[in-house]
Amino acid sequence: MAEELVIEQGNKEEQYKVLLPQIEALLAGEPDIIANMANVSAALKQTFNFFWTGFYRVKGDMLVLSPFQGLIACTRIKYGKGVCGTAWKEARTIIVPDVDKFPGHIACNAASKSEIVVPLLKDGNVIAVLDIDSDRLNCFDETDSAYLEKISNLIVR
């Protein structure tokens, strides 16, 4: 079945409000988390044209690269390391306005300037993280956090 994404041209919140029900419909009835991560990555990239959008899944004591849209990326990230590993360890969304100022930032690509990482929780445990990078400073805010957390919850329900 071919899917077509309707993209809102308004402000960020208006874009998320149009995108959220589309993602919900796209994921409805699909139990495969990898397929859902792939479609969510593509929908976010297509809507916002973020520099890098993707997932890392928890595998033992590492985050392992999973579906993404963008340039090649770090394949494995240790627990508590970088923004992704810290979001996993602390089980909370982390917004980084300037990645060069984040202690221990892992630079998979030097063009990345700001980042948001949202943990995906199932039964109280982090099973993956949604990682989004921008090539602009201060790209992410509480609007992104709120909507990306809703989208992440759709993936693990």
Side-chain angles (χ1 to χ4, degrees):
M1 172 170 97
E3 301 290 341
E4 192 168 322
L5 195 63
V6 176
I7 299 176
E8 171 65 39
Q9 298 302 316
N11 68 38
K12 184 189 303 190
E13 185 162 17
E14 291 167 341
Q15 289 178 302
Y16 277 118
K17 283 181 178 179
V18 170
L19 180 61
L20 187 62
Q22 293 182 88
I23 287 179
E24 190 167 15
L26 189 61
L27 303 184
E30 177 51 63
D32 189 281
I33 194 167
I34 301 299
N36 289 334
M37 287 176 170
N39 272 332
V40 166
S41 294
L44 288 167
K45 176 76 170 168
Q46 188 175 342
T47 300
F48 296 102
N49 197 30
F50 293 128
F51 180 72
W52 195 93
T53 304
F55 293 87
Y56 285 90
R57 290 179 299 138
V58 173
K59 295 283 185 176
D61 63 346
M62 301 285 268
L63 289 171
V64 178
L65 183 64
S66 295
F68 71 92
Q69 297 279 314
L71 301 174
I72 61 170
C74 301
T75 304
R76 294 179 181 269
I77 299 172
K78 292 180 181 177
Y79 181 77
K81 300 298 180 188
V83 184
C84 290
T86 301
W88 173 23
K89 180 179 179 181
E90 297 179 5
R92 68 176 181 92
T93 298
I94 297 178
I95 298 171
V96 181
D98 182 347
V99 295
D100 291 333
K101 294 180 180 174
F102 187 88
H105 176 255
I106 300 168
C108 296
N109 189 298
S112 177
K113 302 295 181 205
S114 60
E115 185 172 4
I116 185 169
V117 179
V118 179
L120 280 69
L121 298 164
K122 186 159 188 130
D123 300 324
N125 297 310
V126 177
I127 62 163
V129 298
L130 168 59
D131 179 21
I132 303 177
D133 292 8
S134 174
D135 55 1
R136 295 179 295 122
L137 292 170
N138 300 306
C139 183
F140 305 105
D141 58 25
E142 292 306 316
T143 298
D144 297 290
S145 178
Y147 281 96
L148 293 172
E149 287 171 3
K150 290 177 185 179
I151 290 168
S152 295
N153 287 334
L154 292 173
I155 294 171
V156 296
R157 66 177 177 180

